[in-house]
Amino acid sequence: MTSHSLAERVRRPVPGILPVPHHPIYLDHHATTPVDPRVADVVVNAMVNVFGNANSVDHTHGEAALELVDRATEKVADLIGSETEGVRFTSGSTESIRFAVGHAIATRRNRMLRVAATRVEHQAVLDALRIAVRAGLAQVVWVEVDEEANLRPESLRAALNEGVDLACVMAANNEVGTIYPIEQIARDAHQAGAKVLVDGTQAAGRVDLRTQDWDLDYVAFSSHKIYGPKGVGALVVSKAVVHSELTENVVGHIGTLNVPGIVGFGEACRLMQLEGPADDKRITECRDRLEANLIREIPGIVVNGNRRHRLPHNLHIALPGIPNDAVIARLRNKVAISTGAACSSGAQTPSHVLKAMGLSEEMQDGAIRIGLGKYTTRDEVDRAADEIVAAVREVTGSLQGVST
Ligand code: PLP
């Protein structure tokens, strides 16, 4: 279990690189996570000591690099219960999702890909589908969610009954943290003759995901959400996809492999598997403490998502009538939190997730996503609660024309 704080984690500043001021308490772990120093050590070791090209195995330098990649592949596969042959390394989930959709389209040959996708998928999935639809390669039936972002089973059933080739369902939502019953969904999709694309980016290592046992066709996940380096992730595909005649269309990292990144990703997966459950228990306690503090101090606050079945590190709140940007701006140098609705370009857009949940505009405008991590301490969540409460009171006061 991780016990040190984020500040203690930072060991030696790199000359010439401006240190990010660490005093704002970091509570935006859905956006990205800090790299675990043990992961950084293996990355540096791979970079400096095992610099060979994993594709040049005519000598021991290349062989050593390939061996590191193979060992990392095992750890990546283990975390999500797949076989190693299904792992394709990518630059992250966005790329994995593009490859999966591309492969699904290729298997249809010249017929249009019929897709069922939940309305709360990440922008990476929405963009991949939008591009395919515009190109005339796919059509999409949307699966509705309820006010907690749970899938409406009748909507999924109706979509599958229409005749679908691919069902896109995330394992857990990146805004409100709701977890989806992937095993059941995969079973239903397969019965209806559809493949499944599971976006496991937020869920991997935190939620039970069994790629092989559940026969998941495509699973996307990313290193930087589990304390690994950025710019590396995986698309993990089923045996059937591996052995399909179109395997070459399941593109992964092409060209020279990013050996240090892959090695770091592997180590992050190993640590997540080993320590994740204990870390998550502590994170859940901190999250619940923060939630209780905010509920006690902020009248009218609403907690969104499925509170019985959500990611351990997620707390999504709405402050009706209190603009989230004003609160977040006041917290800028104190607590790093976000609306959670940024699209891949970083631009703030109204949240399609909250809209799909049927939240009122007032609630959407007051929505804030808080994401805890394994370095978050109890003291930090208490200080964060004080800061958030103070910011909300300030904004409320200024809205009422009262100085606080
Ligand atoms: N899917 C989900 C659910 C995410 O939360 C994210 C990142 O925020 C992505 C996909 C994109 O991941 P990446 O940054 O690895 O491309």
Side-chain angles (χ1 to χ4, degrees):
M1 188 167 97
T2 309
S3 54
H4 44 189
S5 71
L6 186 56
E8 287 161 355
R9 180 190 139 273
V10 179
R11 291 170 307 172
R12 35 174 208 278
V14 180
I17 296 186
L18 279 179
V20 175
H22 272 283
H23 49 268
I25 299 166
Y26 187 71
L27 293 180
D28 197 15
H29 288 81
H30 299 288
T32 197
T33 55
V35 174
D36 187 312
R38 293 169 294 178
V39 171
D41 281 346
V42 302
V43 172
V44 172
N45 184 43
M47 249 179 199
V48 175
N49 297 324
V50 193
F51 60 85
N53 184 331
N55 296 329
S56 298
V57 288
D58 288 341
H59 46 71
T60 53
H61 288 287
E63 256 174 21
L66 183 59
E67 195 186 323
L68 285 189
V69 170
D70 286 345
R71 274 196 246 152
T73 307
E74 280 170 20
K75 296 170 191 167
V76 169
D78 273 358
L79 184 67
I80 57 158
S82 90
E83 292 204 12
T84 50
E85 65 172 355
V87 176
R88 300 286 185 278
F89 288 107
T90 65
S91 72
S93 287
T94 304
E95 195 172 82
S96 301
I97 289 161
R98 286 285 167 99
F99 289 148
V101 171
H103 180 262
I105 288 170
T107 59
R108 292 293 291 163
R109 300 192 184 275
N110 292 324
R111 284 168 299 153
M112 199 178 279
L113 181 76
R114 297 162 306 170
V115 183
T118 83
R119 284 211 187 269
V120 293
E121 291 302 299
H122 187 268
Q123 199 62 41
V125 171
L126 301 184
D127 285 347
L129 295 178
R130 182 176 44 78
I131 291 165
V133 168
R134 269 205 202 147
L137 298 169
Q139 60 190 37
V140 182
V141 183
W142 295 105
V143 177
E144 306 296 338
V145 297
D146 66 15
E147 63 288 350
E148 291 183 342
N150 303 303
L151 289 197
R152 289 192 185 277
E154 70 282 4
S155 177
L156 179 63
R157 227 175 297 123
L160 292 176
N161 286 343
E162 275 190 39
V164 159
D165 307 301
L166 179 70
C168 298
V169 183
M170 64 199 336
N173 186 266
N174 52 295
E175 286 188 41
V176 296
T178 298
I179 294 170
Y180 298 98
I182 293 299
E183 183 180 13
Q184 181 65 48
I185 291 164
R187 201 178 301 135
D188 293 348
H190 288 150
Q191 259 172 22
K195 286 193 165 61
V196 283
L197 162 53
V198 176
D199 178 354
T201 313
Q202 295 290 340
R206 301 184 173 96
V207 171
D208 195 21
L209 261 187
R210 301 188 201 172
T211 305
Q212 196 181 352
D213 290 353
W214 301 346
D215 197 18
L216 306 178
D217 302 276
Y218 310 98
V219 179
F221 75 116
S222 198
S223 156
H224 76 104
K225 307 291 185 176
I226 54 169
Y227 311 96
K230 292 173 180 54
V232 58
L235 172 64
V236 181
V237 298
S238 67
K239 250 195 171 100
V241 173
V242 169
H243 294 295
S244 80
E245 55 182 313
L246 286 157
T247 305
E248 70 275 16
N249 288 313
V250 191
V251 196
H253 199 109
I254 39 181
T256 304
L257 285 174
N258 169 13
V259 177
I262 290 169
V263 167
F265 183 23
E267 182 64 2
C269 289
R270 186 183 76 81
L271 293 171
M272 202 71 186
Q273 192 165 12
L274 197 68
E275 302 173 356
D279 282 337
D280 281 341
K281 195 163 170 281
R282 204 187 54 77
I283 291 168
T284 305
E285 281 164 16
C286 282
R287 189 268 313 271
D288 292 347
R289 185 180 170 91
L290 177 58
E291 180 178 298
N293 282 341
L294 295 179
I295 289 174
R296 197 180 52 244
E297 298 296 331
I298 304 176
I301 187 175
V302 176
V303 177
N304 293 311
N306 183 333
R307 288 173 77 181
R308 298 162 311 289
H309 214 47
R310 73 183 141 156
L311 289 168
H313 60 319
N314 179 275
L315 173 56
H316 190 280
I317 55 174
L319 312 163
I322 305 173
N324 53 12
D325 51 351
V327 175
I328 289 170
R330 276 178 170 75
L331 290 168
R332 189 167 174 80
N333 294 317
K334 297 170 184 161
V335 185
I337 52 177
S338 75
T339 65
C343 74
S344 38
S345 66
Q348 293 294 335
T349 50
S351 162
H352 64 279
V353 173
L354 304 183
K355 202 164 162 225
M357 291 163 65
L359 261 56
S360 68
E361 267 183 35
E362 206 189 28
M363 294 265 279
Q364 292 180 39
D365 291 346
I368 292 177
R369 180 184 68 178
I370 301 173
L372 289 74
K374 67 177 178 177
Y375 301 108
T376 308
T377 63
R378 229 172 199 254
D379 173 59
E380 280 181 320
V381 294
D382 287 351
R383 282 190 287 128
D386 290 346
E387 296 289 0
I388 294 168
V389 169
V392 169
R393 289 193 183 140
E394 243 181 77
V395 174
T396 314
S398 66
L399 287 175
Q400 292 166 350
V402 183
S403 78
T404 51

